[in-house]
Amino acid sequence: MTITRRSSVCSSLGYFSFKVGLWGVWLYGFLLICLSLYATQRLPSIRDQIIKIPKLTHKGFGFGNGNGNSGGPTITIFSAPSPPFDKSMLGARQALAVRSWLALSPGVMVVLFGKHPSILSFAAGLGSRVSVESRIDFTFLGTPFFHSMVARSRASSSDISVMVDPEIILLPDFISTLHYAHKLEHDWLLVAMPRNVSHFPFNLDETGQHWLREDGKQMKERKLQEFLVQKWHWSGCSGRLLMAWNTGELPLHAGVLPPFLFRKGLHYHWVVTESLSSGFRFVFDASEVISSFYPEIVGRFPSIKGSDNGDIRERLWEYRGNSHLAAVYGSYYFNLANFSNSLIRFVKCDGKYLFFNIAQEIVYTFQAHLPTSSTLQRASSQGKGKGRSSIWTGKIFELKKEKKWMACVEDSILLDRKMECSIKDSFNLSSPLYLPFSLELLLRTVADEDRSVVLAVAGNNYRDMLMSWVCRLRRLSVSNFIICAIDPEIYQFSVLQGLPVFKDPLAPTNISYNDCHFGTKCFQRVTKVKSRLVLQILRLGYNVLLSDVDVYWFGNPLPYLLSFGPAVLVAQSDEYKETGPINLPRRLNSGFYFAHSDHATISAMDKVVKHALVSDLSEQPSFYDVLCGEGGANRLGDDRCLEPDTNLTVHFLDRNLFPNGAYQGLWEKDDVKAACVKSGCLILHNNWISGREKKLERQLLSGLWDYDSSTRLCLQDWQGTQSSSCF
């Protein structure tokens, strides 16, 4: 009995001791958690100043073939080579660069932006992995717009898009770096600065797989790297950068990318700065882990002394345009400090990848303690709202306390000093934007083989309609157009849009942007500019198709108009009745006509200009009264006139092919485009409507619109359906 009682007591004491032990363990754990939280709160200098670093997946870093079949990301490299691809130094550098991209992996695809025949033939010789894309925006001199290139690359289905200068050679460590970045579970933007190599005496073999020395012997990759380490050097002020990003939901930056010209300065730095400021993506600099370089001399090609500087001098207006855009858009101009200070550096030490915050001297290494998906989603949403979010996990080392990392990041610190350039030197806002082309030079540059040009006259109140008109002509591959700017605002805008524009020194001043429409005094003054300019161009020996910007082109009418021959002026009829003569009094529409550069036409146009100069009306009545006679005294049949003094024939165009805004109620059709196509329209004039806003609204609602004013991009097939706002 006693033994049993003692056993029971012992059991109770043991149970009590066990419970006390559990409570002790719990209490000890609770105290540890509190201490950890307290310690975390005592480390704001590390946690609070770190730019967000996304997590890595637990998957290995297999390199695959890049085609999606072996787990590797699909990669497309985008660039815009400068034509022509010939045996010059420029052609040799570009050709070698593109072939080096293809040698990176069998799954790498290359898209070259350009329209020059030499680019097409070069790409055709490299197989199906290289394609040429011409459906982006170019200036009239063929320079591609960077914002259009980025928009096209963003429409790509690849996992990773790369934007690189066409003369930058890449080696295989570029692919390994992209594969590593692809494991980041957050949208990212990688930037890298290539090095310079004064002379690169190597080439790729015919298969594009092996590097060869000048004697034809194969060069091992290790030896090639050793050569480059000895020969290359940083050139921080060159402006050449490489950008890569994953295809994700987040944009590269907040706001709109201005219409920078590719390779004309500041556009790469602007994007990186805005991306950092926006906080949407994790932005890092991988310059030190990527073997990318620019060879000044390739193989045995002799150096072309001063070729790059000469290009800058001849095309200085393009660089000034980029400088202007970088200053007035975004925050770049107000953050003139070296942008590389704000970038997290991606470095490799002892075979391990590290991220290094150079500004705060902090090294980050990835460990097993990774953030959850919910943490990343929460951090991403915070990033959208605040522009900053810290999602650091893993191990963080302060460089001053962890000396073992100092040697690894010394190169980054040294590189940062070499990157110091004065960004202020790139801005020259006091210099006005202008196109260094006279009217004569523009005509020689853009005229086609028949010495014909298309002329449009525009003011700032119609600049969106001007751009839609320009985009339509580009879509139709009509490049022989010029723009006359009648006010400073439209001139500056046109220069930045890469249009062949010139100023009219005799254009009227004090133009009312909102009230300059049909029937107003402003409209009458502006229309008289057109006939005077047409006469000037005719005297310079060029045929002229005058087209108002509210004329929508379904096709290129020039071949048809040229078929009428010399001494014939062909013009649109403004008659709205569907039956009867179309050459009735004052039914000649001076907003669309074609004039040959011949003696009869020039003499007749001279009479029109002089008549309009003393008239209180617009130029349109002067056209009819001079060429067809007052009241139609010089009419021939139902569709012609004959000016007796000059023997010039005026032919009124078939309205089924060239309908005005009142003919057959085409603008009121449910499907304007389908109705016009059925009728066989070559053009459709958006006239017979009063007011600029009503005209814009009618054309937008009809779908006969080719410009997105919110992005300053011509609408393209690869963009899909987009909305546009002009108001």
Side-chain angles (χ1 to χ4, degrees), residues 582-619:
I582 62 174
N583 59 350
L584 293 174
R586 296 190 173 178
R587 288 308 186 198
L588 188 153
N589 190 311
S590 61
F592 188 89
Y593 64 91
F594 180 77
H596 279 273
S597 178
D598 54 54
H599 178 72
T601 306
I602 292 173
S603 299
M605 283 297 300
D606 185 54
K607 295 180 66 175
V608 172
V609 171
K610 290 177 179 177
H611 187 278
L613 185 64
V614 297
S615 172
D616 292 332
L617 303 175
S618 69
E619 69 168 4

Side-chain angles (χ1 to χ4, degrees), residues 498-515:
L499 303 181
V501 62
F502 65 97
K503 294 179 181 177
D504 177 23
L506 302 178
T509 57
N510 300 322
I511 297 173
S512 173
Y513 294 149
N514 295 323
D515 299 322

Side-chain angles (χ1 to χ4, degrees), residues 60-76:
F61 300 106
F63 298 128
N65 60 7
N67 60 10
N69 296 327
S70 59
T74 55
I75 300 171
T76 300

Side-chain angles (χ1 to χ4, degrees), residues 606-639:
D606 185 54
K607 295 180 66 175
V608 172
V609 171
K610 290 177 179 177
H611 187 278
L613 185 64
V614 297
S615 172
D616 292 332
L617 303 175
S618 69
E619 69 168 4
Q620 185 155 304
S622 295
F623 264 88
Y624 191 90
D625 291 351
V626 169
L627 301 180
C628 293
E630 293 187 11
N634 301 330
R635 290 174 54 202
L636 294 177
D638 292 341
D639 62 358

Side-chain angles (χ1 to χ4, degrees), residues 49-62:
Q49 60 195 349
I50 301 299
I51 298 176
K52 56 189 177 186
I53 294 287
K55 79 169 187 176
L56 298 176
T57 64
H58 295 280
K59 299 176 183 178
F61 300 106

Side-chain angles (χ1 to χ4, degrees), residues 518-519 523 530 548 550-551 570-593 618-621 623-624 628 638-639 650-656 658-664 667 683-689 695 698:
F518 182 81
F523 178 84
K530 297 186 291 186
D548 285 349
D550 62 352
V551 176
V570 289
Q572 185 182 47
S573 171
D574 225 10
E575 177 56 53
Y576 60 90
K577 295 180 181 178
E578 296 185 22
T579 59
I582 62 174
N583 59 350
L584 293 174
R586 296 190 173 178
R587 288 308 186 198
L588 188 153
N589 190 311
S590 61
F592 188 89
Y593 64 91
S618 69
E619 69 168 4
Q620 185 155 304
F623 264 88
Y624 191 90
C628 293
D638 292 341
D639 62 358
V650 179
H651 181 89
F652 289 74
L653 291 163
D654 183 352
R655 290 175 301 167
N656 290 316
F658 301 88
N660 59 64
Y663 182 65
Q664 292 186 342
W667 283 107
I683 61 106
L684 174 62
H685 205 147
N686 189 6
N687 63 346
W688 284 93
I689 187 171
K695 180 175 291 193
R698 181 165 78 171

